[in-house]
mmCIF file with all atom_site columns, all heavy atoms in Angstrom:
data_model
loop_
_atom_site.group_PDB
_atom_site.id
_atom_site.type_symbol
_atom_site.label_atom_id
_atom_site.label_alt_id
_atom_site.label_comp_id
_atom_site.label_asym_id
_atom_site.label_entity_id
_atom_site.label_seq_id
_atom_site.pdbx_PDB_ins_code
_atom_site.Cartn_x
_atom_site.Cartn_y
_atom_site.Cartn_z
_atom_site.occupancy
_atom_site.B_iso_or_equiv
_atom_site.pdbx_formal_charge
_atom_site.auth_seq_id
_atom_site.auth_comp_id
_atom_site.auth_asym_id
_atom_site.auth_atom_id
_atom_site.pdbx_PDB_model_num
ATOM 1   N N   . ARG A 1 88  ? 88.268 -52.081 -5.542  1.00 98.00 ? 248 ARG A N   1
ATOM 2   C CA  . ARG A 1 88  ? 87.003 -52.817 -5.614  1.00 98.00 ? 248 ARG A CA  1
ATOM 3   C C   . ARG A 1 88  ? 86.459 -52.917 -7.042  1.00 98.00 ? 248 ARG A C   1
ATOM 4   O O   . ARG A 1 88  ? 86.299 -51.907 -7.742  1.00 98.00 ? 248 ARG A O   1
ATOM 5   C CB  . ARG A 1 88  ? 85.996 -52.091 -4.722  1.00 98.00 ? 248 ARG A CB  1
ATOM 6   C CG  . ARG A 1 88  ? 84.563 -52.503 -4.802  1.00 98.00 ? 248 ARG A CG  1
ATOM 7   C CD  . ARG A 1 88  ? 83.701 -51.701 -3.860  1.00 98.00 ? 248 ARG A CD  1
ATOM 8   N NE  . ARG A 1 88  ? 84.035 -51.995 -2.474  1.00 98.00 ? 248 ARG A NE  1
ATOM 9   C CZ  . ARG A 1 88  ? 83.281 -52.697 -1.634  1.00 98.00 ? 248 ARG A CZ  1
ATOM 10  N NH1 . ARG A 1 88  ? 82.114 -53.171 -2.050  1.00 98.00 ? 248 ARG A NH1 1
ATOM 11  N NH2 . ARG A 1 88  ? 83.657 -52.916 -0.400  1.00 98.00 ? 248 ARG A NH2 1
ATOM 12  N N   . GLY A 1 89  ? 86.184 -54.161 -7.487  1.00 98.00 ? 249 GLY A N   1
ATOM 13  C CA  . GLY A 1 89  ? 85.579 -54.386 -8.795  1.00 98.00 ? 249 GLY A CA  1
ATOM 14  C C   . GLY A 1 89  ? 86.523 -54.232 -9.960  1.00 98.00 ? 249 GLY A C   1
ATOM 15  O O   . GLY A 1 89  ? 86.106 -54.353 -11.120 1.00 98.00 ? 249 GLY A O   1
ATOM 16  N N   . GLN A 1 90  ? 87.799 -53.972 -9.706  1.00 98.00 ? 250 GLN A N   1
ATOM 17  C CA  . GLN A 1 90  ? 88.780 -53.730 -10.764 1.00 98.00 ? 250 GLN A CA  1
ATOM 18  C C   . GLN A 1 90  ? 89.943 -54.709 -10.599 1.00 98.00 ? 250 GLN A C   1
ATOM 19  O O   . GLN A 1 90  ? 90.230 -55.158 -9.500  1.00 98.00 ? 250 GLN A O   1
ATOM 20  C CB  . GLN A 1 90  ? 89.245 -52.273 -10.706 1.00 98.00 ? 250 GLN A CB  1
ATOM 21  C CG  . GLN A 1 90  ? 88.081 -51.312 -10.952 1.00 98.00 ? 250 GLN A CG  1
ATOM 22  C CD  . GLN A 1 90  ? 88.316 -49.925 -10.374 1.00 98.00 ? 250 GLN A CD  1
ATOM 23  O OE1 . GLN A 1 90  ? 89.022 -49.122 -10.967 1.00 98.00 ? 250 GLN A OE1 1
ATOM 24  N NE2 . GLN A 1 90  ? 87.731 -49.657 -9.220  1.00 98.00 ? 250 GLN A NE2 1
ATOM 25  N N   . GLY A 1 91  ? 90.610 -55.024 -11.698 1.00 98.00 ? 251 GLY A N   1
ATOM 26  C CA  . GLY A 1 91  ? 91.661 -56.023 -11.614 1.00 98.00 ? 251 GLY A CA  1
ATOM 27  C C   . GLY A 1 91  ? 91.103 -57.340 -11.130 1.00 98.00 ? 251 GLY A C   1
ATOM 28  O O   . GLY A 1 91  ? 90.083 -57.823 -11.625 1.00 98.00 ? 251 GLY A O   1
ATOM 29  N N   . ARG A 1 92  ? 91.722 -57.904 -10.101 1.00 98.00 ? 252 ARG A N   1
ATOM 30  C CA  . ARG A 1 92  ? 91.285 -59.192 -9.574  1.00 98.00 ? 252 ARG A CA  1
ATOM 31  C C   . ARG A 1 92  ? 90.358 -59.073 -8.363  1.00 98.00 ? 252 ARG A C   1
ATOM 32  O O   . ARG A 1 92  ? 89.886 -60.091 -7.850  1.00 98.00 ? 252 ARG A O   1
ATOM 33  C CB  . ARG A 1 92  ? 92.511 -60.022 -9.178  1.00 98.00 ? 252 ARG A CB  1
ATOM 34  C CG  . ARG A 1 92  ? 93.427 -60.371 -10.346 1.00 98.00 ? 252 ARG A CG  1
ATOM 35  C CD  . ARG A 1 92  ? 94.525 -61.303 -9.889  1.00 98.00 ? 252 ARG A CD  1
ATOM 36  N NE  . ARG A 1 92  ? 95.443 -61.595 -10.986 1.00 98.00 ? 252 ARG A NE  1
ATOM 37  C CZ  . ARG A 1 92  ? 96.428 -62.486 -10.902 1.00 98.00 ? 252 ARG A CZ  1
ATOM 38  N NH1 . ARG A 1 92  ? 96.618 -63.160 -9.780  1.00 98.00 ? 252 ARG A NH1 1
ATOM 39  N NH2 . ARG A 1 92  ? 97.222 -62.693 -11.923 1.00 98.00 ? 252 ARG A NH2 1
ATOM 40  N N   . SER A 1 93  ? 90.137 -57.864 -7.882  1.00 98.00 ? 253 SER A N   1
ATOM 41  C CA  . SER A 1 93  ? 89.295 -57.696 -6.697  1.00 98.00 ? 253 SER A CA  1
ATOM 42  C C   . SER A 1 93  ? 87.815 -57.810 -7.051  1.00 98.00 ? 253 SER A C   1
ATOM 43  O O   . SER A 1 93  ? 87.380 -57.381 -8.119  1.00 98.00 ? 253 SER A O   1
ATOM 44  C CB  . SER A 1 93  ? 89.565 -56.345 -6.031  1.00 98.00 ? 253 SER A CB  1
ATOM 45  O OG  . SER A 1 93  ? 90.872 -56.294 -5.512  1.00 98.00 ? 253 SER A OG  1
ATOM 46  N N   . THR A 1 94  ? 87.062 -58.356 -6.132  1.00 98.00 ? 254 THR A N   1
ATOM 47  C CA  . THR A 1 94  ? 85.633 -58.536 -6.348  1.00 98.00 ? 254 THR A CA  1
ATOM 48  C C   . THR A 1 94  ? 84.877 -57.271 -5.911  1.00 98.00 ? 254 THR A C   1
ATOM 49  O O   . THR A 1 94  ? 85.464 -56.319 -5.389  1.00 98.00 ? 254 THR A O   1
ATOM 50  C CB  . THR A 1 94  ? 85.111 -59.753 -5.565  1.00 98.00 ? 254 THR A CB  1
ATOM 51  O OG1 . THR A 1 94  ? 85.253 -59.506 -4.158  1.00 98.00 ? 254 THR A OG1 1
ATOM 52  C CG2 . THR A 1 94  ? 85.875 -61.013 -5.941  1.00 98.00 ? 254 THR A CG2 1
ATOM 53  N N   . ARG A 1 95  ? 83.589 -57.276 -6.128  1.00 98.00 ? 255 ARG A N   1
ATOM 54  C CA  . ARG A 1 95  ? 82.725 -56.197 -5.651  1.00 98.00 ? 255 ARG A CA  1
ATOM 55  C C   . ARG A 1 95  ? 81.418 -56.801 -5.176  1.00 98.00 ? 255 ARG A C   1
ATOM 56  O O   . ARG A 1 95  ? 81.156 -57.992 -5.372  1.00 98.00 ? 255 ARG A O   1
ATOM 57  C CB  . ARG A 1 95  ? 82.477 -55.159 -6.748  1.00 98.00 ? 255 ARG A CB  1
ATOM 58  C CG  . ARG A 1 95  ? 81.819 -55.713 -8.003  1.00 98.00 ? 255 ARG A CG  1
ATOM 59  C CD  . ARG A 1 95  ? 81.581 -54.630 -9.039  1.00 98.00 ? 255 ARG A CD  1
ATOM 60  N NE  . ARG A 1 95  ? 81.120 -55.182 -10.303 1.00 98.00 ? 255 ARG A NE  1
ATOM 61  C CZ  . ARG A 1 95  ? 80.192 -54.628 -11.061 1.00 98.00 ? 255 ARG A CZ  1
ATOM 62  N NH1 . ARG A 1 95  ? 79.604 -53.497 -10.686 1.00 98.00 ? 255 ARG A NH1 1
ATOM 63  N NH2 . ARG A 1 95  ? 79.845 -55.175 -12.206 1.00 98.00 ? 255 ARG A NH2 1
ATOM 64  N N   . THR A 1 96  ? 80.609 -55.978 -4.558  1.00 98.00 ? 256 THR A N   1
ATOM 65  C CA  . THR A 1 96  ? 79.275 -56.382 -4.135  1.00 98.00 ? 256 THR A CA  1
ATOM 66  C C   . THR A 1 96  ? 78.266 -55.618 -4.978  1.00 98.00 ? 256 THR A C   1
ATOM 67  O O   . THR A 1 96  ? 78.637 -54.934 -5.935  1.00 98.00 ? 256 THR A O   1
ATOM 68  C CB  . THR A 1 96  ? 79.067 -56.053 -2.649  1.00 98.00 ? 256 THR A CB  1
ATOM 69  O OG1 . THR A 1 96  ? 79.108 -54.613 -2.480  1.00 98.00 ? 256 THR A OG1 1
ATOM 70  C CG2 . THR A 1 96  ? 80.162 -56.688 -1.789  1.00 98.00 ? 256 THR A CG2 1
ATOM 71  N N   . GLU A 1 97  ? 77.009 -55.684 -4.623  1.00 98.00 ? 257 GLU A N   1
ATOM 72  C CA  . GLU A 1 97  ? 75.997 -54.905 -5.326  1.00 98.00 ? 257 GLU A CA  1
ATOM 73  C C   . GLU A 1 97  ? 75.865 -53.499 -4.757  1.00 98.00 ? 257 GLU A C   1
ATOM 74  O O   . GLU A 1 97  ? 75.036 -52.716 -5.235  1.00 98.00 ? 257 GLU A O   1
ATOM 75  C CB  . GLU A 1 97  ? 74.656 -55.640 -5.289  1.00 98.00 ? 257 GLU A CB  1
ATOM 76  C CG  . GLU A 1 97  ? 74.665 -56.926 -6.111  1.00 98.00 ? 257 GLU A CG  1
ATOM 77  C CD  . GLU A 1 97  ? 73.287 -57.520 -6.307  1.00 98.00 ? 257 GLU A CD  1
ATOM 78  O OE1 . GLU A 1 97  ? 72.305 -56.944 -5.796  1.00 98.00 ? 257 GLU A OE1 1
ATOM 79  O OE2 . GLU A 1 97  ? 73.196 -58.561 -6.988  1.00 98.00 ? 257 GLU A OE2 1
ATOM 80  N N   . GLU A 1 98  ? 76.677 -53.174 -3.762  1.00 98.00 ? 258 GLU A N   1
ATOM 81  C CA  . GLU A 1 98  ? 76.690 -51.816 -3.244  1.00 98.00 ? 258 GLU A CA  1
ATOM 82  C C   . GLU A 1 98  ? 77.405 -50.915 -4.247  1.00 98.00 ? 258 GLU A C   1
ATOM 83  O O   . GLU A 1 98  ? 78.488 -51.257 -4.721  1.00 98.00 ? 258 GLU A O   1
ATOM 84  C CB  . GLU A 1 98  ? 77.415 -51.780 -1.901  1.00 98.00 ? 258 GLU A CB  1
ATOM 85  C CG  . GLU A 1 98  ? 77.342 -50.461 -1.185  1.00 98.00 ? 258 GLU A CG  1
ATOM 86  C CD  . GLU A 1 98  ? 77.950 -50.508 0.207   1.00 98.00 ? 258 GLU A CD  1
ATOM 87  O OE1 . GLU A 1 98  ? 78.432 -51.599 0.594   1.00 98.00 ? 258 GLU A OE1 1
ATOM 88  O OE2 . GLU A 1 98  ? 77.947 -49.477 0.891   1.00 98.00 ? 258 GLU A OE2 1
ATOM 89  N N   . PRO A 1 99  ? 76.816 -49.778 -4.620  1.00 98.00 ? 259 PRO A N   1
ATOM 90  C CA  . PRO A 1 99  ? 77.459 -48.901 -5.606  1.00 98.00 ? 259 PRO A CA  1
ATOM 91  C C   . PRO A 1 99  ? 78.861 -48.492 -5.161  1.00 98.00 ? 259 PRO A C   1
ATOM 92  O O   . PRO A 1 99  ? 79.099 -48.204 -3.981  1.00 98.00 ? 259 PRO A O   1
ATOM 93  C CB  . PRO A 1 99  ? 76.529 -47.686 -5.669  1.00 98.00 ? 259 PRO A CB  1
ATOM 94  C CG  . PRO A 1 99  ? 75.207 -48.190 -5.193  1.00 98.00 ? 259 PRO A CG  1
ATOM 95  C CD  . PRO A 1 99  ? 75.511 -49.235 -4.177  1.00 98.00 ? 259 PRO A CD  1
ATOM 96  N N   . ILE A 1 100 ? 79.793 -48.476 -6.102  1.00 98.00 ? 260 ILE A N   1
ATOM 97  C CA  . ILE A 1 100 ? 81.169 -48.084 -5.799  1.00 98.00 ? 260 ILE A CA  1
ATOM 98  C C   . ILE A 1 100 ? 81.229 -46.571 -5.597  1.00 98.00 ? 260 ILE A C   1
ATOM 99  O O   . ILE A 1 100 ? 80.781 -45.790 -6.440  1.00 98.00 ? 260 ILE A O   1
ATOM 100 C CB  . ILE A 1 100 ? 82.120 -48.508 -6.929  1.00 98.00 ? 260 ILE A CB  1
ATOM 101 C CG1 . ILE A 1 100 ? 82.178 -50.041 -7.032  1.00 98.00 ? 260 ILE A CG1 1
ATOM 102 C CG2 . ILE A 1 100 ? 83.518 -47.944 -6.716  1.00 98.00 ? 260 ILE A CG2 1
ATOM 103 C CD1 . ILE A 1 100 ? 82.955 -50.562 -8.213  1.00 98.00 ? 260 ILE A CD1 1
#
Side-chain angles (χ1 to χ4, degrees):
R248 170 180 294 252
Q250 298 157 79
R252 297 186 183 187
S253 294
T254 64
R255 59 179 172 141
T256 65
E257 292 191 359
E258 187 174 0
I260 295 173

